[in-house]
Amino acid sequence: MENLGAAAALGSALWALLLTMLGTATSQPLGGESVCTARPLARYSITFTGKWSQTAFPKQYPLFRPPAQWSSLLGAAHSSDYSMWRKNEYVSNGLRDFAERGEAWALMKEVEAAGEKLQSVHAVFSAPAVPSGTGQTSAELEVHPRHSLVSFVVRIVPSPDWFVGIDSLNLCEGGRWKEQVALDLYPYDAGTDSGFTFSSPNFATIPQDTVTEITSSSPSHPANSFYYPRLKSLPPIAKVTLERLRQSPRAFAPPSLDLLNRGNEIVDSLSAPETPLDCEVSLWSSWGLCGGPCGKLGAKSRTRYVRVQPANNGTPCPELEEEAECSPDNCV
């Protein structure tokens, strides 16, 4: 009987230990995320600043049909159960439509469905498009302790399927909301179109690829509009700033884009990095006919043309014509 009592006591102790371990495990969210205990709801302003200037990105910079610009900004405040987009993962059909053509309807329906069915989206927000490569647009958003993550996308126009954005930025640190967050943004490829240049025709990627970051050396192809092999990394093409608002919620009126664009063009002209663009020339043509009097040495020539003009102290163009001695043609 003593053995049975001891066994029962041991079993109770082990059961209590197991319950304690399970309770500890279930109190922590998956992925090691800390629980947000901040209260109450928090409101933020989000300001997107385009830094896509011809000085910073001189290669194939779009000047017309259409000129460099940004689409509207689409975003959501959500929990870790939802993902608008993620590096090295496949985009949804809605994000594909947005990245390729700027069509937002399907993406917005996906976000709304996640909020209704999974309760993983707290709020959706948007900001107006920016009609030039440099400029600003703003919006306001609301986050909740259970929905403290923010994601958004902005399409690069024109482009095959390129965009910028942030994925699941947490605005909560334990028991408090962050006061301000500022992040540089770099271009991403949605993996649905295989074009190399800003104005490439539609050429679907089959099978679809995952989201990848575009860098100064990747894709490693001279035709790539962001290919700058002399740079270790691209300069930021945009920036986003989120700032906590203290005042009560109010109707938000975006600032005048014309005024913001003029102000940013002045700032960009003073502070934008100058990316050197080297001259690119074609292959040599075939040698021309050899001219000159019979019995004496003549001369022949070949030419090449400039494919990319140098900019920002890039390597200048070499000679475009070359001559060589030869024996005249058509001499008996």
Side-chain angles (χ1 to χ4, degrees), residues 165-188:
I166 55 176
D167 165 37
S168 303
L169 171 67
N170 198 343
L171 293 177
C172 181
E173 282 185 330
R176 65 183 184 87
W177 295 108
K178 296 178 180 178
E179 293 300 320
Q180 188 181 63
V181 179
L183 296 172
D184 288 329
L185 303 177
Y186 299 89
Y188 281 91

Side-chain angles (χ1 to χ4, degrees), residues 261-312:
N261 286 337
R262 285 199 292 270
N264 278 281
E265 286 169 359
I266 296 173
V267 172
D268 284 340
S269 66
L270 297 175
S271 60
E274 289 193 354
T275 301
L277 182 63
D278 298 336
C279 177
E280 293 182 16
V281 295
S282 67
L283 298 175
W284 285 110
S285 67
S286 301
W287 287 104
L289 296 175
C290 183
C294 292
K296 295 183 179 180
L297 288 177
K300 59 182 179 180
S301 65
R302 60 180 182 176
T303 60
R304 55 187 174 185
Y305 61 90
V306 176
R307 297 177 59 184
V308 176
Q309 291 287 352
N312 303 331

Side-chain angles (χ1 to χ4, degrees), residues 2 28 50 60 100 106 108 143 177 188 200 206 271 314 322:
E2 291 181 1
Q28 295 294 329
Q60 302 169 5
E100 289 189 9
M108 295 302 294
V143 288
W177 295 108
Y188 281 91
S200 293
I206 302 176
S271 60
E322 185 177 58

Side-chain angles (χ1 to χ4, degrees), residues 10-221:
L10 179 60
S12 298
L14 290 174
W15 181 247
L17 178 62
L18 179 60
L19 288 175
T20 302
M21 292 174 65
L22 286 173
T24 302
T26 54
S27 67
Q28 295 294 329
L30 295 177
E33 280 185 26
S34 60
V35 178
C36 178
T37 58
R39 293 291 187 274
L41 299 175
R43 290 187 66 82
Y44 283 84
S45 67
I46 180 170
T47 302
F48 173 85
T49 304
K51 305 180 74 174
W52 185 17
S53 67
Q54 191 172 10
T55 302
F57 299 91
K59 186 174 183 180
Q60 302 169 5
Y61 188 80
L63 295 173
F64 50 88
R65 298 183 183 179
Q69 57 190 278
W70 301 95
S71 76
S72 58
L73 179 151
L74 297 178
H78 58 91
S79 69
S80 58
D81 297 326
Y82 172 75
S83 174
M84 178 174 282
W85 68 278
R86 189 153 292 166
K87 185 178 178 180
N88 298 325
E89 294 187 6
Y90 297 102
V91 299
S92 65
N93 291 334
L95 189 50
R96 178 199 62 203
D97 291 349
F98 183 77
E100 289 189 9
R101 298 183 294 276
E103 297 176 2
W105 184 85
L107 178 59
M108 295 302 294
K109 296 299 290 184
E110 290 174 354
V111 177
E112 291 173 2
E116 294 172 358
K117 296 178 182 178
L118 303 176
Q119 303 298 310
S120 57
V121 174
H122 172 70
V124 180
F125 58 91
S126 65
V130 180
S132 61
T134 59
Q136 284 186 331
T137 187
S138 301
E140 289 186 4
L141 62 111
E142 184 179 77
V143 288
H144 183 273
R146 293 193 304 273
H147 302 85
S148 60
L149 307 181
V150 171
S151 299
F152 76 82
V153 287
V154 182
R155 180 175 182 255
I156 298 173
V157 184
S159 75
D161 60 343
W162 301 340
F163 68 96
V164 298
I166 55 176
D167 165 37
S168 303
L169 171 67
N170 198 343
L171 293 177
C172 181
E173 282 185 330
R176 65 183 184 87
W177 295 108
K178 296 178 180 178
E179 293 300 320
Q180 188 181 63
V181 179
L183 296 172
D184 288 329
L185 303 177
Y186 299 89
Y188 281 91
D189 187 321
T192 61
D193 193 293
S194 297
F196 273 124
T197 66
F198 297 120
S199 56
S200 293
N202 184 37
F203 183 55
T205 301
I206 302 176
Q208 181 177 330
D209 203 352
T210 58
V211 174
T212 55
E213 184 176 355
I214 301 172
T215 70
S216 59
S217 58
S218 178
S220 182
H221 194 290

